[in-house]
Every structure is written in structure tokens, then in C-alpha cells.
Amino acid sequence: MFASDGSFEAKDVAAGLFALFGTFAGALLAFRLEENREKAREVRAQKTALNRALLVLGFHHNEIRTFRNLIAPHRTDIELAFNLPASQPPEQIDMRQKFDELDFLLDSSAPQVLFDLIIEQERFDQALQAVRQRNEFYVREVQPVFAAQGLNNRRVSMAELKSKLGEYLFGGALQGAETIREHIEGSNESIPVAVEKLRKVAKELFPDEKFLMFEKVLLPHEIAEEAAKAKAATETSGFGATPARVEE
């Protein structure tokens, strides 16, 4: 209010200032609360993304180990090319890395880990593709010739196999086996390394958070035991005719 001489009264000025300060403080508090909520949501999303990335790696490693167990009894590429039943890899259940949810790793102490995950996903995809291509070639190209030449369900020498299959089929089957072994072995070695790197970065970012852990890769003698079980299972679950037993 104005005083009789036209000036402001002190109490009115103080009241106005308090009202202005209260409005400002309330707005600032609301902003800070929303900022904290947003930060908490961001942190939760990052933790979830890290655990999901670890889960995907674990799933991929399990798939690779399954195929490794299948190929373990076939110690040479010749055996692998012609004695491995053509069983298809399972369909993927949205188990791929979501790199857009992991871009915050670029600001971490080890941004290289994001690039490693991209490479790991590509390596896994190539491994599955190699299995599918080999099996498709084996079923569509090799097995019909096996049946026509009477090669199924009996022992076959490599010389006879080369002669009756021809260079294209023999070489294609052998190349498919080599590619499968290369990709499966590569992924089997690299995935555990990627898991350890990612967990290390995750613990650096969130020391108090618990992140997924997986069992160690089977030792060689354990692989042999698991491979024997897998071989027995695939002999009844694989599709197509029973392959010939190739001897070198």
C-alpha cells in the first residue's frame, strides 16, 4: 500500500518479496524433484540395459555351447562335413543386443566395450548363419546324392566319397564344416571375455548393484560327456536320412 506521502510501506514490500521468493522456491523445488526422478529413471534404465546385455550374452553362449557339443565328437572337418546330422538352430526369441539402450557406455571408462558387443553380436549371427547354410546345403545337395549312390547307413572311404559326390559337393560340404567350426570356436572363446569386460564396467558404474553371472565354460573332459549326450539326442531329433559314416 502507498503511504500518505505516496511511498510504499515496508511491510508491503516485504510481503511481496516473500511471495515472490516462495513462488521461485516452489518452482525450483518442483524442478529439482522432477530432475531427481528423471535421473533415477535413467539409472534404472541403465542398470536394466546392462543386465539385459549380460543375459543376451549368456543366452548366446548357451546356444554356442550346444552346437559345440554337437560337433565335438567329429574331430576332423571330413567327419564334421558328412557325419553331423542336419539339425536346425532354434528360432531366436528377441535375444539380440539393443545397442541404442547401451549408448551411455560411450561415456564410461571403457567405451570399447560397446564396440565389442557389436562385434560379438555379428559373430554370433554369423555362427548361426553358417550352421543354417551348411545344413541347407547338406539336405538339398548332398543327401540326395547319398541316397542315389547308396551311400547312406554304411561306411564310406574318402576316395569313394570324392568320386561319387564330385568336386563341387565334396568341396562345398567340407568348406561348410570348416566355417561352422571356425565360427563356433571363435564365439565360444570370445563370449566369456565379453561377459567379463561388461560386468567389470557395470560394477564400476554401479558398485552396489548386483549383475548377472553365469557358469564357467565346460572343461574339455566335461565337454566330451555333454557331447555324448547331445549326440544321442540329435540322432533321433535331426531331419533327413541317416548320414553315411565317413572314414578317412
Side-chain angles (χ1 to χ4, degrees):
M1 298 294 293
F2 285 103
S4 58
D5 60 358
S7 62
F8 284 105
E9 293 185 7
K11 64 178 182 179
D12 295 325
V13 174
L17 289 175
F18 276 123
L20 181 62
F21 177 77
T23 301
F24 174 77
L28 180 61
L29 179 60
F31 174 78
R32 292 300 185 190
L33 287 174
E34 181 57 32
E35 187 177 48
N36 289 339
R37 291 193 192 100
E38 181 61 30
K39 182 62 177 178
R41 285 193 292 267
E42 181 180 338
V43 168
R44 285 196 301 271
Q46 290 177 355
K47 292 177 181 179
T48 300
L50 288 168
N51 264 320
R52 186 188 183 281
L54 288 167
L55 179 63
V56 170
L57 287 173
F59 177 81
H60 287 178
H61 197 207
N62 183 67
E63 293 296 297
I64 291 297
R65 286 169 59 187
T66 298
F67 283 111
R68 191 166 186 263
N69 284 339
L70 294 179
I71 70 177
H74 310 293
R75 299 186 180 279
T76 69
D77 290 335
I78 290 292
E79 292 175 345
L80 182 60
F82 299 104
N83 292 342
L84 177 68
S87 55
Q88 292 287 19
E91 294 296 327
Q92 299 303 298
I93 313 172
D94 192 31
M95 276 298 178
R96 297 181 60 81
Q97 297 291 1
K98 296 183 178 180
F99 300 112
D100 57 329
E101 297 179 358
L102 296 166
D103 56 5
F104 64 90
L105 290 173
L106 293 173
D107 298 323
S108 70
S109 62
Q112 176 69 23
V113 74
L114 181 58
F115 180 72
D116 292 341
L117 289 176
I118 295 174
I119 297 300
E120 208 57 59
Q121 179 68 60
E122 291 180 351
R123 183 181 287 117
F124 177 76
D125 291 342
Q126 289 173 357
L128 291 192
Q129 183 64 18
V131 172
R132 292 191 179 99
Q133 288 179 344
R134 178 268 173 186
N135 289 343
E136 183 177 348
F137 182 81
Y138 186 80
V139 170
R140 293 186 178 182
E141 303 285 347
V142 177
Q143 279 191 347
V145 177
F146 269 28
Q149 296 289 338
L151 298 175
N152 284 322
N153 301 311
R154 70 178 180 87
R155 294 186 179 276
V156 183
S157 69
M158 189 163 61
E160 181 184 5
L161 194 63
K162 281 184 177 180
S163 173
K164 292 188 174 181
L165 285 181
E167 187 64 32
Y168 168 71
L169 292 182
F170 183 84
L174 187 60
Q175 183 179 24
E178 293 171 349
T179 303
I180 286 178
R181 197 184 298 276
E182 176 185 352
H183 285 304
I184 294 296
E185 291 298 329
S187 288
N188 187 59
E189 293 177 4
S190 62
I191 291 177
V193 176
V195 169
E196 288 304 312
K197 287 183 178 179
L198 183 58
R199 288 197 82 257
K200 181 180 179 181
V201 173
K203 293 300 289 184
E204 288 177 355
L205 291 172
F206 307 106
D208 299 327
E209 185 71 12
K210 293 182 179 180
F211 292 98
L212 293 175
M213 295 184 66
F214 303 99
E215 295 181 1
K216 293 182 179 179
V217 179
L218 293 176
L219 297 174
H221 68 281
E222 295 171 326
I223 290 176
E225 295 173 356
E226 292 297 320
K229 297 177 184 178
K231 180 181 177 183
T234 53
E235 285 178 348
T236 57
S237 62
F239 63 86
T242 303
R245 308 308 300 172
V246 179
E247 297 177 321
E248 289 192 274

